Amino acid sequence: MRLTIFHKLFISLMLISMLMMVGMALLINNSFKNGFQSYLNQSEVEKIESMAEDISAYYSSDQGWRQLQQQPELWDRLLRNIGEYPRRPKDHSGPTSRKSRPDYNRLEARLNLLDKDEKSIIGKRKNLRRLHANIQITKVAITKNEQTIGWLSIIQRENIKGHLAERFLRQQLDNFYWIAAWAALFSFIVAALLVRHLLKPLKSLHSAAKSLSNGNFNYHIDVRGNDELAELSLAFNLLTSTLKTQKLSREQWLADISHELRTPIAVLLSEIEAIEDGIRQPEPKYIRSLHDQVITLTRLVDDLYSLSQSDSGILIDTSHTVDITNIINNIANQNEVRLTDKHIAIQRLYDHSQPTLLKADAKSLAQLIGNLFENSYRYTDENGQIHINLQQTNDHILLTIEDSAPAVPEDALPKLFDRLYRVDKSRSRANGGSGLGLSICENIVKMHNGKISAQHSELGGLKIAISLPIKDD
């Protein structure tokens, strides 16, 4: 049989309740027995203390306790004064010569009068011995003129015994068991309602999970309260919203990739079909055009591969110390010739002879700076300029690369790092851009726990600002 969470919680609560009730029953039973017997014993002690005050009047310094020994009715009178009514056989000679079997549930059968040397004057001598472990002997001093003239000794039980006391005990325990039974029934009902209430959010989560597995990303859980289950429901709603956003982004991503691949493939297909149909001859200019389209496809595929690598974070090792100044110098030197051909001047606003060290991955940093140089080269007009600045604080490296016109519209700045986004698609495609370079840069910076942003440049173009931690967090 499959046990649901409802059954498990319900059974757990019921078991805990039952164990607590059984434990309470045992403890109350033991405590009641001991407490009730202690109460009875203390009541008897109070009686014989009262009797001890009265009995001193029958003591004589000359004759001792002889008056009580010779007149048993005086002893009986003392017992009646404390509420005890002695039972005597018809034929008896004195308080110590009773032949009937004593009833030890009665106080008189357990009471002894002792002299000051604790020798028995009235009562059974065997009362002065502990017959078993359940028996205790209590003595109360009899005083006269502040001197001890004798003792009243009584044997008492430590645990409850006797028909009347046992009947009272059973009655009280029966009442307790009935109360416990009703409490158990009440606990049963409360546990069922409580577990059902607690599991209601889990049922909502279960329904939401099934709906989500069926592709419904619009399911929303109604959150009530502020406990852990409410936090779980909020997290699930956030997960649903995130998955929905990712689904839409993935669909848009696939549509954009398909569009980007369709254009060069369509051009290639049309050029090849024209040559096959004899419309065009395989002249060098047409072969060069085919080659350019293949280059465009290759660049796009390479960028897609680089983006997937930067997404997954593979091949990123930030445990080594890297000189970013040296990386910038090398990439600037590599691009200097073609930038000069386009009449774009590079101005370095930092000490390129001073090393700047940080914990980073050298290969990915080279790709980052190379992409930024490539972006400036493609989208900066001729006779423009590029400024590179590198600053170091206590815990960060600040790198800025800015170029001259053309400028980027204000509303396009936040979108520059979106995949396949282009400010001017026709111009970007003509320059060979795939729209993935800045997305790759953003991934690399994030993998180094840094920040990257796009701003307007005072030179009239675009400014890319990067902040990288010196030590890997």
Side-chain angles (χ1 to χ4, degrees), residues 273-285:
E273 288 178 348
I275 293 175
E276 287 180 341
D277 295 340
I279 299 175
R280 291 182 179 179
Q281 299 298 321
E283 299 177 4
K285 62 178 181 179

Side-chain angles (χ1 to χ4, degrees), residues 74 198 218 301 432:
L74 296 178
L198 291 176
N218 294 319
V301 172

Side-chain angles (χ1 to χ4, degrees), residues 61-102:
S61 58
D62 297 332
Q63 298 181 357
W65 299 102
R66 185 174 301 174
Q67 183 180 3
L68 281 178
Q69 289 178 302
Q70 293 176 350
Q71 302 180 43
E73 63 275 8
L74 296 178
W75 178 258
D76 293 344
R77 184 187 303 169
L78 290 170
L79 290 174
R80 283 193 294 270
N81 289 341
I82 61 173
E84 294 292 326
Y85 298 91
R87 295 178 181 178
R88 295 181 178 277
K90 294 181 180 179
D91 184 16
H92 64 274
S93 58
T96 60
S97 62
R98 300 169 189 172
K99 297 180 180 179
S100 61
R101 183 176 181 180

Side-chain angles (χ1 to χ4, degrees), residues 403-468:
D403 50 45
S404 55
V408 176
E410 182 69 30
D411 59 343
L413 286 176
K415 303 176 183 178
L416 289 178
F417 299 102
D418 294 346
R419 301 174 182 189
L420 300 175
Y421 177 79
R422 298 185 180 94
V423 177
D424 185 347
K425 294 188 177 181
S426 59
R427 185 172 182 269
S428 297
R429 189 172 289 110
N431 290 330
S434 63
L436 297 174
L438 290 180
S439 297
I440 296 173
C441 291
E442 183 183 39
N443 281 353
I444 293 174
V445 171
K446 287 183 177 179
M447 290 305 300
H448 286 82
N449 297 317
K451 298 179 181 179
I452 185 171
S453 62
Q455 309 165 16
H456 290 299
S457 171
E458 295 181 356
L459 301 177
L462 179 68
K463 176 181 179 181
I464 301 295
I466 298 173
S467 174
L468 296 172

Side-chain angles (χ1 to χ4, degrees), residues 26-46:
L26 295 175
L27 291 174
I28 290 175
N29 183 27
N30 183 64
S31 176
F32 186 80
K33 283 183 178 181
N34 295 334
F36 187 63
Q37 184 62 49
S38 177
Y39 167 77
L40 294 178
N41 292 342
Q42 186 60 34
S43 298
E44 292 180 341
V45 170
E46 290 179 358

